[in-house]
């Protein structure tokens, strides 16, 4: 006889014949499924915040609607820049990759499924037939449940599958299959089903895996039993530090149910673990704060903005709208916000105020210089591609020269035009800069001095007459030399290379120093915009303002990520939220 279940509520009785109070199997669903399909990595797209139960509808709907990333019209017009994007501008790397040659894709296509997943519930005989047709080497039940979870099959299909499994196994459904069904219940916001599975797991297992805790917390956070997410969080803390997502969901649950104190306590606890909160979490604090007229809450929101500054984090466009809405809702303060850009001069197009300078103070410069010398030049991995003797020779060479105005990565610059003669390109760049009476240093490799079709000896001799030159061994790494010469020449010195120095930034010992290095880099790295043989070379201007959250007390300027613009970690946003108090 086929066991037909109308819902998961019939599942508790399946466990009575085989009680078990142990831990989850070591080969359970979470280690298998999450690894194969990267659920944790993409979980923001897998789960929805929309509640299923009618209770808390008013509060819930307000917050959930605000949390959706909906493209909103930007107030005012933003002038579009026609020339190529700046080296560090958001989206610049994406555009560069689109204009470069397409790489051949050698990736093999994924193997085809031996069977098609059903799109409607099956009875016992139909599941038997599907199993007979299955030609894969994997366990059929395991394979089907994984595919259902990955494809987000309908709840009804999953229920019919679990009913078939239970009927074939004396009423027993394995942990892996149960948790995959839990994933579907969370995905489709079936709160009552999530609660039933939660009860089964509490009765069946002493502890769960981290992924099961994550699913349960997410599934319960907008229900009347949201406080049990706090207990689940405590259980998780017994074995590991909860994830940012775990804290995010518990904070959202607290705010959805208007328990502000619990939400802030969880936020402080998250920071105490040195975790970076999700921007979604921070956005929700602002959304919720619009209806709270409390100075203590307001000060905490301003603290979040300072946190964004210190960590050099950028809100998304929807988050920026939430910040603007909150400021404008503060009674009696007369805040007015607008979305705008910043001019090359560093002046805000919206309010006219000057944005903070990109240039380091003398104290910051000396601190960074010492750190780079310690972590990158002396303590880095450059000795894999050079020798202590050569580095010493270079340091003595720099000491014997006057301070440089510009340090040039010769090999990097020479290769900017693929089909052009490299020595000619380098000579044109050096010749143009020499006309400006600049003290130049060209760094290169010894092979550049040998006559070849790419390197003409007479042109390299002209380069050496116009600039100081240092040619390292062919196996040597240029970048440590470039950084050393630039920093030793003083804060005025600039450098030219297409290299974005990400490896050397990673060598720095802490995040604060890495952010300081990135600030220095943006204020000192010159990029060649146009270079044509026989014509004038144009350089991209160096942005002289710092792209970071900042305030003067009666104004805030907040750079944000524009929707639809893909920004790499070494790029910065080009759009700003300008907030100022009207008098």
């Amino acid at each position: 006889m086929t066991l037909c279940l109308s819902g998961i509520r019939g599942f508790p009785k399946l466990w009575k014949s085989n009680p078990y109070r142990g831990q989850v199997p070591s080969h359970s669903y979470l280690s298998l499924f999450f690894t194969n399909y990267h659920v944790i990595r993409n979980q923001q797209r897998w789960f929805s915040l929309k509640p299923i139960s009618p209770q808390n509808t008013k509060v819930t709907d307000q917050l959930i609607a605000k949390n959706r990333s909906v493209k909103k019209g930007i107030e005012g017009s933003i002038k579009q820049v026609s020339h190529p994007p700046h080296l560090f501008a958001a989206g610049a790397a994406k555009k560069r990759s689109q204009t470069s040659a397409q790489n051949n894709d050698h990736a093999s296509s994924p193997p085809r499924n031996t069977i098609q997943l059903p799109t409607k519930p099956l009875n016992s005989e139909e599941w038997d037939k599907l199993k007979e047709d299955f030609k894969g080497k994997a366990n059929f039940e395991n394979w089907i449940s994984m595919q259902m979870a990955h494809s987000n099959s309908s709840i009804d299909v999953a229920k019919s599958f679990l009913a078939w499994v239970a009927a074939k196994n004396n009423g027993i459904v394995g942990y892996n299959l149960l948790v995959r069904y839990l994933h579907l219940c969370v995905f489709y916001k079936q709160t009552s089903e999530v609660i039933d599975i939660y009860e089964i797991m509490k009765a069946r297992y002493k502890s769960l895996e981290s992924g099961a805790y994550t699913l349960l917390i997410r599934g319960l956070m907008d229900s009347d039993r949201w406080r049990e997410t706090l207990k689940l969080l405590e259980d998780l803390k017994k074995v590991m530090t909860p994830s940012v997502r775990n804290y995010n969901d518990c904070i959202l649950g607290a705010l959805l149910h208007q328990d502000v104190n619990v939400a802030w306590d969880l936020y402080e606890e998250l920071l105490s673990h040195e975790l970076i909160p999700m921007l979604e979490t921070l956005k929700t604090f602002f959304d919720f704060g619009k209806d709270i007229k409390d100075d203590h809450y307001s000060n905490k929101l301003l603290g979040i903005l300072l946190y964004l500054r210190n960590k050099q984090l950028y809100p998304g466009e929807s988050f920026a709208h939430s910040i603007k809405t909150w400021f404008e809702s503060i009674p009696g303060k007369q805040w007015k916000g607008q979305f705008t850009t910043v001019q090359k001069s560093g002046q805000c197009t919206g309010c006219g105020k000057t944005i903070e300078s990109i240039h380091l103070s003398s104290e910051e410069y000396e601190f960074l210089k010492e750190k780079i010398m310690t972590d990158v030049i002396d303590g880095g991995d450059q000795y894999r591609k050079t020798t202590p003797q050569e580095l010493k020779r270079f340091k003595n060479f720099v000491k014997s020269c006057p301070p440089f105005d510009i340090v040039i990565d010769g090999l990097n610059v020479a290769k900017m035009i693929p089909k052009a003669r490299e020595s000619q390109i380098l000579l044109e760049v050096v010749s143009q800069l020499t006309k400006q009476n600049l003290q130049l240093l060209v760094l290169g490799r010894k092979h550049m001095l040998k006559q070849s079709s790419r390197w003409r000896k007479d042109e390299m001799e002209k380069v050496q007459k116009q600039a100081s030159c240092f040619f390292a061994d062919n196996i040597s790494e240029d970048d440590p030399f470039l950084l050393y010469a630039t920093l030793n020449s003083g804060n005025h010195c600039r450098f030219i290379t297409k290299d974005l120095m990400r490896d050397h930034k990673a060598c720095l010992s802490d995040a604060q120093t890495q952010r300081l290095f990135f600030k220095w880099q943006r204020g000192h790295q010159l990029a060649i915009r146009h270079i044509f043989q026989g014509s004038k070379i144009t350089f991209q201007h160096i942005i002289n303002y710092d792209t970071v959250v900042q305030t003067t007390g009666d104004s805030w300027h907040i750079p944000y990520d524009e929707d639809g613009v893909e920004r790499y970690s070494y790029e910065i946003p080009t759009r700003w939220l300008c907030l100022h108090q009207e008098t």
Side-chain angles (χ1 to χ4, degrees):
M1 180 178 72
T2 303
L3 176 62
C4 297
L5 299 178
S6 59
I8 198 68
R9 291 185 179 277
F11 269 53
K13 64 184 180 184
L14 300 180
W15 302 103
K16 293 180 180 178
S17 61
N18 191 15
Y20 176 69
R21 293 290 295 173
Q23 296 186 357
V24 299
S26 60
H27 59 281
S28 64
Y29 154 78
L30 293 157
S31 59
L32 297 172
F33 181 75
F34 285 170
T35 301
N36 289 343
Y37 295 110
H38 313 287
V39 175
I40 295 298
R41 184 175 165 187
N42 297 303
Q43 55 194 340
Q44 285 180 273
R45 291 194 294 268
W46 280 63
F47 304 128
S48 170
L49 292 176
K50 184 177 179 182
I52 189 67
S53 57
Q55 62 268 27
N56 310 309
T57 302
K58 183 177 180 180
V59 176
T60 300
D61 287 349
Q62 288 176 350
L63 287 176
I64 297 304
K66 292 172 184 175
N67 268 286
R68 294 172 181 160
S69 297
V70 179
K71 179 72 175 178
K72 300 182 180 180
I74 299 297
E75 299 177 13
S77 59
I78 296 177
K79 184 178 180 182
Q80 297 298 319
V81 181
S82 58
H83 53 70
H86 193 276
L87 181 66
F88 296 106
K94 183 72 172 179
K95 291 180 180 178
R96 287 196 297 268
S97 67
Q98 290 172 344
T99 56
S100 63
Q102 294 289 328
N103 294 325
N104 292 328
D105 185 6
H106 298 291
S108 58
S109 58
R112 298 180 62 184
N113 294 335
T114 55
I115 56 174
Q116 294 293 322
L117 288 176
T119 57
K120 61 180 182 179
L122 305 182
N123 59 34
S124 181
E125 290 75 18
E126 289 170 326
W127 280 113
D128 288 338
K129 179 65 168 60
L130 197 63
K131 183 174 183 179
E132 289 177 10
D133 295 338
F134 180 67
K135 304 300 182 184
K137 296 181 180 180
N139 174 272
F140 172 74
E141 289 79 2
N142 189 57
W143 185 88
I144 282 286
S145 63
M146 289 180 67
Q147 296 302 314
M148 282 184 172
H150 181 55
S151 304
N152 294 324
S153 295
S154 77
I155 290 290
D156 289 338
V157 172
K159 284 180 180 178
S160 73
F161 170 68
L162 291 184
W164 173 74
V165 171
K168 295 291 183 182
N169 293 279
N170 296 319
I172 300 300
V173 175
Y175 176 85
N176 292 347
L177 275 60
L178 189 64
V179 179
R180 288 168 192 151
Y181 177 73
L182 172 61
H183 158 73
L184 292 175
C185 293
V186 172
F187 181 82
Y188 288 111
K189 306 174 288 289
Q190 299 295 312
T191 306
S192 61
E193 301 287 296
V194 172
I195 291 173
D196 286 337
I197 297 175
Y198 175 48
E199 293 297 336
I200 292 173
M201 288 185 163
K202 280 201 303 182
R204 177 71 174 165
Y205 300 107
K206 291 180 180 178
S207 62
L208 306 174
E209 286 190 333
S210 61
Y213 283 117
T214 295
L215 287 170
L216 288 170
I217 290 172
R218 170 51 65 100
L220 294 171
M221 71 177 190
D222 56 5
S223 72
D224 283 342
R225 297 177 64 174
W226 71 272
R227 287 192 180 276
E228 295 190 49
T229 64
L230 305 179
K231 182 182 182 304
L232 291 168
L233 191 70
E234 290 301 316
D235 290 342
L236 186 56
K237 284 192 283 187
K238 294 175 183 177
V239 293
M240 62 181 291
T241 300
S243 69
V244 173
R245 167 59 73 184
N246 298 144
Y247 278 107
N248 173 79
D249 291 342
C250 289
I251 290 171
L252 290 181
L255 289 177
L256 288 170
H257 295 84
Q258 304 186 56
D259 196 328
V260 176
N261 293 331
V262 168
W264 283 118
D265 288 344
L266 289 169
Y267 173 71
E268 295 297 335
E269 184 179 309
L270 182 157
L271 296 182
S272 71
H273 290 301
E274 297 186 353
L275 298 172
I276 304 296
M278 297 176 65
L279 294 179
E280 174 190 5
T281 307
L282 305 182
K283 176 184 183 300
T284 306
F285 276 116
F286 277 89
D287 288 335
F288 191 78
K290 187 171 72 72
D291 299 319
I292 296 180
K293 313 307 177 186
D294 176 73
D295 289 342
H296 180 67
Y297 194 99
S298 297
N299 289 335
K300 283 186 172 292
L301 292 185
L302 296 179
I304 287 178
L305 295 180
L306 294 178
Y307 176 83
L308 294 178
R309 171 187 172 84
N310 293 334
K311 295 295 184 181
Q312 201 168 333
L313 298 174
Y314 304 111
E317 188 170 327
S318 179
F319 187 0
H321 276 275
S322 296
I323 296 171
K324 176 179 179 293
T325 300
W326 175 74
F327 268 97
E328 293 177 338
S329 73
I330 302 175
K333 298 297 184 179
Q334 294 183 307
W335 283 97
K336 181 66 178 177
Q338 57 184 316
F339 296 96
T340 184
T341 57
V342 174
Q343 300 173 11
K344 293 180 182 179
S345 62
Q347 190 176 48
C348 173
T349 306
C351 68
K353 287 184 179 290
T354 300
I355 302 300
E356 290 179 18
S357 172
I358 190 69
H359 301 298
L360 273 59
S361 66
S362 58
E363 293 80 7
E364 289 175 328
Y365 182 80
E366 289 302 322
F367 172 80
L368 180 65
K369 177 181 174 181
E370 182 180 346
K371 278 287 190 178
I372 290 179
M373 296 300 171
T374 303
D375 296 348
V376 178
I377 307 300
D378 295 328
D381 63 353
Q382 75 281 358
Y383 290 139
R384 297 177 188 175
K385 294 186 178 181
T386 189
T387 63
Q389 292 76 19
E390 184 174 55
L391 188 58
K392 183 178 180 181
R393 180 170 68 90
F394 177 69
K395 289 181 177 180
N396 290 334
F397 166 80
V398 172
K399 217 178 269 187
S400 67
C401 297
F404 301 109
D405 297 311
I406 295 180
V407 179
I408 302 169
D409 184 343
L411 194 58
N412 187 291
V413 168
K415 293 180 177 293
M416 285 186 175
I417 300 181
K419 295 183 180 180
R421 189 169 63 253
E422 292 168 358
S423 58
Q424 182 182 5
I425 297 302
L426 180 58
L427 177 59
E428 289 182 1
V429 172
V430 170
S431 298
Q432 181 168 316
L433 292 172
T434 302
K435 293 176 184 177
Q436 302 177 37
N437 295 320
L438 297 171
Q439 188 71 30
L440 307 179
L441 169 62
V442 175
L443 298 173
R445 309 275 179 83
K446 289 180 178 179
H447 74 82
M448 296 163 60
L449 299 175
K450 294 182 179 180
Q451 178 71 28
S452 67
S453 60
R454 309 291 292 177
W455 298 96
R456 274 180 39 177
K457 201 166 185 178
D458 61 315
E459 290 175 336
M460 290 305 297
E461 288 173 352
K462 291 179 182 178
V463 168
Q464 293 177 77
K465 288 179 180 179
Q466 297 181 64
S468 300
C469 297
F470 184 88
F471 297 96
D473 291 337
N474 293 329
I475 63 169
S476 293
E477 176 68 52
D478 296 318
D479 296 342
F481 296 144
L482 183 144
L483 291 173
Y484 181 88
T486 304
L487 287 164
N488 269 279
S489 294
N491 208 355
H492 73 285
C493 185
R494 307 288 186 264
F495 62 93
I496 302 176
T497 181
K498 288 195 301 182
D499 194 314
L500 293 170
M501 305 285 179
R502 282 166 286 178
D503 291 343
H504 304 294
K505 177 183 173 183
C507 286
L508 295 169
S509 56
D510 60 271
Q512 182 182 0
T513 307
Q514 290 177 2
R515 288 191 292 272
L516 200 60
F517 174 82
F518 187 41
K519 180 179 179 180
W520 171 81
Q521 180 185 9
R522 285 180 282 129
H524 290 78
Q525 184 166 356
L526 283 167
I528 296 176
R529 179 184 294 168
H530 299 298
I531 178 169
F532 300 102
Q533 290 172 266
S535 63
K536 187 176 180 180
I537 300 166
T538 59
F539 293 87
Q540 199 169 60
H541 73 280
I542 288 181
I543 295 176
N544 61 6
Y545 57 86
D546 194 10
T547 306
V548 66
V549 174
Q550 50 198 269
T551 182
T552 59
D554 62 348
S555 71
W556 282 87
H557 287 87
I558 303 170
Y560 67 91
D561 283 323
E562 187 182 19
D563 287 351
V565 176
E566 184 176 351
R567 181 177 63 82
Y568 290 76
S569 61
Y570 53 85
E571 296 177 329
I572 52 176
T574 58
R575 301 290 184 256
W576 291 73
L577 168 61
C578 167
L579 293 154
H580 61 277
Q581 282 184 296
E582 295 181 335
T583 56

